[in-house]
């Protein structure tokens, strides 16, 4: 880590073990910089920009945390796969928690499909290792600077027959959308990345959970709010909450 780089960004999906790594590094010997913990599904480039602006410092290497016990399931889950893959792909170093609990082979195989960056046991991460980590990886990801991130978690319920049409009418520039939609017939898992779109029927998820990503110059949060509010207005009261990252 160069002298000018004063922020260590740690990313990771919920349940990845990133808080434990941050706690250990905070008390470990070494030139401790400002450690910033990104939100569970926050996009890396957005987290870097926010941290640098808030603290007036320069970001150094990015560590993505993953848990050996749950990583494969997270990568398979419609509501978390795209964000977890994006965080891992944008990291300069991937640290694995609980690598001693399960066979690491499936985890390493899954990570090899996403990143070529170093993958290490989280217990072995030291400030010396971080200082020697190159910071080129995140510049090669498909996550554009200034991206708008949007999410909804709540009780909205759509008619199953309307889902495809509603997804088709999402704001222009929404290049990533994933999650689960509650319907009167159960639920629908949604995975959209660029032009690729996949939907499949699932059991009732209990609530609707959607996350979207778009270049800020194409679709802002207001247009995403308006799109989804109008989509559910005919069938349910909007009882959830929007969150912006």
């Amino acid at each position: 880590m160069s002298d000018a780089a004063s922020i260590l960004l740690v990313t990771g999906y919920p349940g990845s073990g990133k808080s434990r790594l941050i706690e250990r590094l905070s008390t470990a010997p070494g030139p401790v910089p400002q450690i910033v913990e990104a939100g569970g599904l926050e996009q890396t480039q957005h987290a870097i920009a926010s941290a640098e602006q808030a603290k007036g410092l320069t970001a150094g290497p990015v560590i993505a945390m993953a848990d050996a016990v749950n990583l494969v399931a997270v990568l398979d889950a419609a509501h978390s796969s795209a964000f977890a893959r994006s965080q891992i792909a944008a990291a300069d170093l991937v640290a694995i928690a609980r690598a001693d609990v399960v066979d690491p082979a499936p985890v390493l195989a899954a990570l090899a499909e996403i990143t070529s960056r170093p993958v290490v046991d989280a217990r072995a991460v030291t400030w010396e290792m971080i200082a020697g980590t190159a910071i080129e990886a995140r510049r090669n990801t498909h996550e554009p600077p200034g991206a708008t991130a949007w999410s909804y978690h709540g009780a909205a319920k759509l008619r199953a027959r309307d889902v495809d049409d509603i997804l088709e009418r999402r704001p222009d520039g929404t290049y990533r959308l994933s999650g689960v939609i509650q319907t009167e017939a159960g639920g629908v898992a949604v995975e959209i990345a660029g032009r690729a779109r996949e939907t499949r029927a699932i059991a009732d998820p209990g609530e609707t959970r959607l996350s979207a990503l778009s270049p800020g110059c194409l679709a802002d949060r207001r247009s995403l709010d308006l799109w989804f509010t109008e989509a559910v207005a005919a069938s349910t009261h909007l009882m959830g909450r929007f969150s912006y990252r």
Side-chain angles (χ1 to χ4, degrees):
M1 184 181 298
S2 68
D3 292 339
S6 302
I7 296 174
L8 172 67
L9 180 68
V10 182
T11 67
Y13 55 86
S16 64
K18 62 182 176 180
S19 296
R20 291 190 296 274
L21 176 66
I22 291 172
E23 181 180 358
R24 184 171 67 79
L25 288 176
S26 298
T27 58
V32 180
Q34 291 278 340
I35 302 176
V36 176
E37 179 179 357
L41 295 180
E42 184 173 16
Q43 296 300 304
T44 301
Q45 194 65 41
H46 180 268
I48 290 172
S50 297
E52 290 185 331
Q53 181 177 10
K55 297 182 179 297
L57 300 171
T58 303
V62 175
I63 299 177
M65 278 297 301
D67 187 282
V69 174
N70 60 35
L71 175 63
V72 174
V74 168
L75 295 178
D76 287 340
H79 68 279
S80 58
S81 176
F83 288 93
R85 289 175 185 275
S86 177
Q87 288 179 340
I88 292 168
D92 304 305
L93 179 70
V94 180
I96 305 298
R98 298 198 290 178
D100 58 329
V101 176
V102 296
D103 179 5
V107 174
L108 295 176
L111 289 171
E113 295 180 357
I114 303 171
T115 182
S116 60
R117 303 300 296 167
V119 177
V120 300
D121 189 318
R123 296 170 298 177
V125 175
T126 64
W127 286 117
E128 290 76 17
M129 179 186 294
I130 295 169
T133 299
I135 60 173
E136 298 297 322
R138 63 176 173 271
R139 298 172 187 161
N140 298 323
T141 68
H142 298 291
E143 183 186 326
T148 294
W150 170 94
S151 66
Y152 170 82
H153 292 207
K157 181 180 291 186
L158 303 176
R159 290 181 298 185
R161 67 185 185 185
D162 295 337
V163 170
D164 283 340
D165 181 59
I166 289 169
L167 295 176
E168 187 67 29
R169 290 187 284 108
R170 68 190 184 277
D172 291 341
T174 308
Y175 71 90
R176 188 174 297 162
L177 178 68
S178 63
V180 293
I181 297 173
Q182 189 177 27
T183 73
E184 83 287 356
V188 177
V190 177
E191 188 74 36
I192 296 175
R195 296 181 179 179
R197 185 173 80 185
E198 178 184 357
T199 59
R200 56 186 174 86
I202 59 173
D204 188 346
E207 65 175 357
T208 293
R209 303 185 299 275
L210 288 173
S211 298
L213 190 68
S214 171
C217 59
L218 295 179
D220 59 18
R221 293 162 180 165
R222 183 177 180 278
S223 65
L224 287 160
D225 280 353
L226 183 62
W227 160 71
F228 192 67
T229 301
E230 290 180 345
V232 301
S235 58
T236 185
H237 293 292
L238 194 60
M239 298 167 57
R241 66 182 188 279
F242 294 101
S243 62
Y244 310 126
R245 302 182 175 89

